[in-house]
Amino acid sequence: MEQKNDKKVIRSWAFFDWANSAYNLVITSTIFPAYYTIITSDKDNNTIDYVTFMGMRFINSALYNYALAFAFLVIALLSPVLSSIADTRGNKKFFMQIFTYIGGLACCGLYFFEIETLQLGVVLFVLAAIGYWGSLVFYNAYLPEIATPEQQDSVSAKGYAYGYVGSIILQLICFVFVFFPSAFGLSPGSQAPRLSFLLVGIWWMLFAQIPFRKLPKGCSDLKKAGANWLTSGFTELKKVWEQLKHMPYLKRFLTAFFFYSMGVQTVMLVATIFGEKQLHLPTEKLIGTILLLQLVAIPGAMLMSWLSRRYFGNVKVLIGVVIIWIFCCIGAYYIKTEMQFYYLAAVVGLIMGGIQSLSRSTYSKFLPQESPDHTSFFSFYDVTEKVALVIGMFSFGYIEEFTGSMQNSLIALATFFVAGLIFLLLLRKVEPDAVPA
């Protein structure tokens, strides 16, 4: 096994965030959701916009939410199988590559997405999401292998910081194409946004070559090699579940993580569509707002890491952040003006990176550090997050379809955060550094 805390390995690991975060910003947060909403809307603010997909009729934004929920469900079912193969064959890097190319090529294919090709566009959108989230199963599992417990907070934050910087650079490039298409010989309308999707795929696959060259392949487990690869992943998850019975602090943290993840990721994934549909903000303002949100998230992730390390510890910082998320959901319910949206986006940006980074490193520090089988534990972590996302995205879409208003869906998100807060409060006197392995 390679020595931990190697600066070159950590830097190359962080570059995977640099590579794939372009997808997270352009495809899930800014240009794609705005483009999707525009081409599926009848431009009448007094009517509800419907689309037909696979012979069924949906509210356009609900279909968007259902598509993502389906992608997360696929990943929740696939990741145990893939993690099992990676454990027995020692090839987690190989699966990072496979999912990266699935996601990157799907993004390239979105160049052909127009209203006439709605079904193709939604399918490619789902494949891109599967590629992104599938690769993270193996990316996250590298954290305890490349960094010692006392370094994992800062290394995790470094990954998110690289991701925000990389995604912002590409977002600015796409921004220029989208708002000044004639300067580049592009036709006005859909060509510039679609070119952005192509650029995301190329950027993602290109910069992913840095971690692919430097990260260790991993060690095979010959004892597991003879197991049934189709079922052994779920067997490993069952073993993790059994181990959790003897690890009460980790179990409580995972329960808290499950509930507040329903809210965190859903808010991030629907923010642009919310601004466009509820407040009718123009695309350039929405993209500018999300870009600002990403910029604020960089110091936010670093701030949370610093507060945890120097003053409060991981759990107390997470409690404070979840409380802020609850107030953000309540505030979003009452939003009426453009400026209120901008203020709320700034707060969300500050806490967005922090809660993701600190959650990942807190979980990593709660794990038995000498165990060589971190992939199974992180597979459990990722399955927990994906099931939470399935529930969060489906709930948001269903409540909108049932009530006709996105704002009612925000109340459900607030309750998810409250449930997560309750379980975090049960851990308020415990820090992962003090828990015996």
Side-chain angles (χ1 to χ4, degrees), residues 192-368:
R194 291 187 290 112
L195 178 62
S196 298
F197 310 150
L198 176 64
L199 290 176
V200 167
I202 295 172
W203 177 282
W204 186 355
M205 292 184 287
L206 179 65
F207 281 103
Q209 302 311 310
I210 297 174
F212 291 162
R213 282 202 309 267
K214 193 66 180 176
L215 286 175
K217 176 185 175 183
C219 300
S220 60
D221 189 337
L222 298 178
K223 292 181 180 179
K224 296 181 182 178
N228 185 327
W229 59 268
L230 188 61
T231 60
S232 61
F234 295 97
T235 302
E236 289 299 312
L237 290 186
K238 184 178 179 181
K239 288 181 181 178
V240 172
W241 177 253
E242 293 296 325
Q243 287 178 270
L244 287 175
K245 294 178 181 179
H246 308 288
M247 305 169 73
Y249 300 124
L250 182 59
K251 187 175 181 179
R252 288 177 195 170
F253 173 73
L254 269 174
T255 306
F257 174 73
F258 174 74
F259 282 110
Y260 69 68
S261 286
M262 291 184 196
V264 172
Q265 296 290 351
T266 302
V267 168
M268 292 164 59
L269 292 169
V270 302
T272 300
I273 288 184
F274 178 84
E276 200 282 333
K277 288 194 70 172
Q278 294 296 122
L279 303 176
H280 312 298
L281 299 179
T283 303
E284 61 270 19
K285 290 187 176 181
L286 283 171
I287 293 177
T289 301
I290 302 299
L291 188 59
L292 177 63
L293 185 149
Q294 298 292 315
L295 286 169
V296 174
I298 298 172
M302 297 300 183
L303 175 63
M304 301 307 166
S305 176
W306 180 74
L307 288 173
S308 171
R309 184 176 66 255
R310 291 292 300 273
Y311 296 104
F312 303 107
N314 292 40
V315 174
K316 291 184 178 65
V317 172
L318 283 171
I319 288 172
V321 171
V322 170
I323 290 172
I324 296 172
W325 272 106
I326 293 170
F327 282 107
C328 285
C329 289
I330 296 171
Y333 181 84
Y334 292 101
I335 276 183
K336 301 295 182 184
T337 69
E338 187 176 317
M339 285 307 299
Q340 290 174 341
F341 180 76
Y342 296 151
Y343 290 140
L344 186 65
V347 176
V348 168
L350 189 63
I351 59 178
M352 178 178 67
I355 196 167
Q356 290 179 291
S357 172
L358 209 56
S359 294
R360 180 169 64 185
S361 61
T362 301
Y363 181 75
S364 180
K365 290 160 75 173
F366 266 125
L367 296 180

Side-chain angles (χ1 to χ4, degrees), residues 51 73 137 191 196 199 249 252 280 288 307 377 401 403 421:
V51 292
L73 180 61
V137 173
Q191 189 179 11
S196 298
L199 290 176
Y249 300 124
R252 288 177 195 170
H280 312 298
L307 288 173
F377 275 98
E401 281 212 299
T403 66
L421 176 63

Side-chain angles (χ1 to χ4, degrees), residues 51-58 63 70 118-123:
V51 292
T52 301
F53 178 76
M54 300 293 185
M56 293 180 284
R57 194 164 176 255
F58 302 92
L63 174 62
F70 176 76
L118 175 68
Q119 293 195 159
L120 172 65
V122 172
V123 169

Side-chain angles (χ1 to χ4, degrees), residues 409-424:
S409 301
L410 293 168
I411 300 302
L413 297 188
T415 61
F416 297 151
F417 280 115
V418 170
L421 176 63
I422 291 171
F423 284 96
L424 280 177

